Amino acid sequence: MKNAQSDSIYACFDVKMQQAVPLSQLKDMWAQVEQQVGSLEKEKEWKQDAIDGTVVYYTDLKFQRASLRFLVAFNTEHKVSGLRLLPVPPEEKPLVVPFDSIHLEESPVEVVTGNYKLPGILTRPKGKTHLPIVILVHGSGPQDRDGSIGPNKIYRDIAWGLGAQGIAVLRYDKRTYVYGKASVPEGKDITPEEEVIEDAVSACQLAASLPFVDKQKVFVAGHSLGGLLAPLIATRCPSVNGLILLAAPSRPQDDILKEQIRYLGSLNGNTDEALLAQQFQQVKASAPQAYWDYLNKYAPVMTAYSLSIPMLFLQGERDYQVTMQDFSMWKLGMFGKTNATFYSYPTLNHCFMEGTGKSTPMEYNHPARLSEKVIEDIAK
């Protein structure tokens, strides 16, 4: 565009674009822009986002008199299917809801497992006793106590939301977030045992020991990987009286990973099976074989079926990471069990945030809050 190589750009257009934007119009486009807003002074790095499930690429350009966003979209044949110059939208600010210091209080806690000490925080209604308590168990990856993803803090949303409903919440930094590679002794391969379960059991024991907690109302809320492992955590910790499984996988990990990779590839029009297989192997190589072996031996649905405590299964229908197929398998596996309740939400994604169209990883970069409906259902 800058070098007026309009023939090259036109050749990259798909048929619809070539019909919509004739070559003669393309030749004058950049000159007209500079005539209106002055010469180009600075261009920022390229980023990507998604509009209704279509991946678009953009860079923000600073001209003398205005800033414009240069947006390009491609079709599945990698031809340009959209090209636009728009005003740069105002910067999105995180949706911060102020902490209700009148009705709630927060205090630091430490979840201790052997030599591992994890800083955490306890949220509770002020001056109340005999409280139900929820222990939040993270998804995969090194996550902090707030479940921070982009500008969003989904576990903090749950803690503050449940606190407002008279429920205490314990959340803590994950071991892999605090200790990294030192999360297991040197020479030992990490498994979900060290990554999640040991510390979750310690957190449950801590929660049950708190003087203001109703010992008959200790609940574990596991998100994603935490939801997958929640039934196993309950078998290890008799003080747990109920489970909330948020977007919990129920199928073999290999099946889920392949499905995720294929879905993400489809957003960019990538259907090359060899490349997808290579990406799958890269994901598998990010954890030792002992990690995957542990998950392959674990039977989450059967473990959950063996439990007599109440279980609440929650699922966003726009979730591409853990899908409605997983939710259906939980339902099928719990058939006939009166202690299992199921809710799904048509407009929510993997982080239980609102959206429209196909869910994409880029939507986590936009400020949002975990759905109030989900918090209400957990509280009930």
Side-chain angles (χ1 to χ4, degrees):
M1 290 286 277
K2 286 188 294 183
N3 298 333
Q5 295 171 344
S6 46
D7 289 358
S8 301
I9 297 169
Y10 189 77
C12 294
F13 283 178
D14 67 9
V15 175
K16 281 187 181 176
M17 279 291 290
Q18 287 182 343
Q19 291 169 348
V21 186
L23 184 56
S24 56
Q25 184 181 334
L26 195 60
K27 278 181 179 173
D28 301 326
M29 191 181 286
W30 192 259
Q32 287 173 357
V33 168
E34 291 201 313
Q35 195 174 351
Q36 290 174 17
V37 294
S39 58
L40 178 65
E41 293 180 341
K42 188 178 180 184
E43 49 190 293
K44 293 190 176 178
E45 75 277 10
W46 283 88
K47 294 181 179 178
Q48 65 184 79
D49 205 340
I51 300 171
D52 293 331
T54 301
V55 176
V56 294
Y57 301 86
Y58 68 90
T59 177
D60 289 340
L61 307 175
K62 187 179 183 305
F63 295 87
Q64 281 176 310
R65 294 188 292 277
S67 291
L68 298 175
R69 178 163 290 182
F70 183 54
L71 244 155
V72 191
F74 298 87
N75 66 15
T76 52
E77 280 78 46
H78 308 298
K79 291 286 188 181
V80 173
S81 58
L83 185 73
R84 298 184 74 183
L85 273 165
L86 304 166
V88 174
E91 190 178 344
E92 290 183 299
K93 292 192 173 129
L95 299 174
V96 177
V97 175
F99 179 69
D100 181 4
S101 57
I102 296 171
H103 300 103
L104 300 179
E105 61 180 318
E106 290 195 315
S107 50
V109 293
E110 197 170 56
V111 174
V112 180
T113 308
N115 294 324
Y116 298 102
K117 297 177 180 179
L118 307 179
I121 198 158
L122 181 69
T123 307
R124 59 180 287 214
K126 271 186 182 174
K128 300 284 178 67
T129 58
H130 297 92
L131 292 171
I133 189 164
V134 170
I135 300 100
L136 294 180
V137 181
H138 320 73
S140 55
Q143 294 193 29
D144 67 12
R145 70 194 73 177
D146 289 334
S148 301
I149 180 164
N152 306 303
K153 297 181 181 296
I154 57 171
Y155 300 160
R156 191 185 70 179
D157 289 346
I158 294 174
W160 291 6
L162 291 180
Q165 307 247 14
I167 298 159
V169 177
L170 173 63
R171 65 194 199 274
Y172 54 95
D173 292 340
K174 199 171 170 185
R175 191 189 295 190
T176 47
Y177 178 82
V178 178
Y179 289 94
K181 290 181 179 175
S183 295
V184 289
E186 198 173 341
K188 188 182 189 308
D189 286 336
I190 194 168
T191 73
E193 193 73 34
E194 298 82 16
E195 184 195 13
V196 177
I197 295 167
E198 290 178 353
D199 300 320
V201 170
S202 298
C204 292
Q205 290 166 347
L206 171 63
S209 73
L210 297 170
F212 52 82
V213 165
D214 182 341
K215 305 295 185 281
Q216 304 306 309
K217 292 188 177 179
V218 177
F219 297 87
V220 166
H223 176 233
S224 197
L225 176 67
L228 170 76
L229 298 170
L232 187 54
I233 293 163
T235 66
R236 299 277 183 87
C237 200
S239 58
V240 173
N241 308 113
L243 299 178
I244 300 110
L245 291 86
L246 298 119
S250 59
R251 295 175 291 152
Q253 290 300 300
D254 281 10
D255 294 352
I256 291 172
L257 287 174
K258 285 174 183 173
E259 194 176 88
Q260 285 177 6
I261 289 164
R262 191 166 276 110
Y263 177 87
L264 293 173
S266 74
L267 296 176
N268 293 301
N270 172 27
T271 55
D272 184 337
E273 287 297 327
L275 182 59
L276 296 175
Q278 184 184 348
Q279 290 171 346
F280 171 72
Q281 290 304 328
Q282 286 171 347
V283 174
K284 289 297 290 278
S286 66
Q289 188 56 43
Y291 186 93
W292 305 112
D293 289 345
Y294 186 102
L295 291 176
N296 288 335
K297 285 175 189 168
Y298 169 51
V301 179
M302 284 176 63
T303 306
Y305 190 84
S306 71
L307 298 172
S308 57
I309 57 175
M311 291 175 284
L312 176 63
F313 295 82
L314 305 177
Q315 178 69 38
E317 294 181 22
R318 290 179 58 253
D319 188 345
Y320 72 86
Q321 289 163 268
V322 177
T323 68
M324 289 298 287
Q325 191 176 344
D326 291 278
F327 190 62
S328 297
M329 286 188 69
W330 282 116
K331 267 187 167 178
L332 185 64
M334 297 297 112
F335 184 75
K337 295 277 282 183
T338 56
N339 62 328
T341 306
F342 295 85
Y343 293 129
S344 69
Y345 309 88
T347 58
L348 302 189
N349 62 19
H350 186 62
C351 291
F352 293 88
M353 300 185 297
E354 294 278 355
T356 56
K358 277 183 163 185
S359 182
T360 72
M362 284 74 82
E363 71 184 84
Y364 302 141
N365 295 324
H366 297 286
R369 291 192 73 242
L370 185 127
S371 165
E372 286 290 334
K373 183 73 176 75
V374 171
I375 290 169
E376 286 169 18
D377 289 339
I378 294 172
K380 278 192 292 187

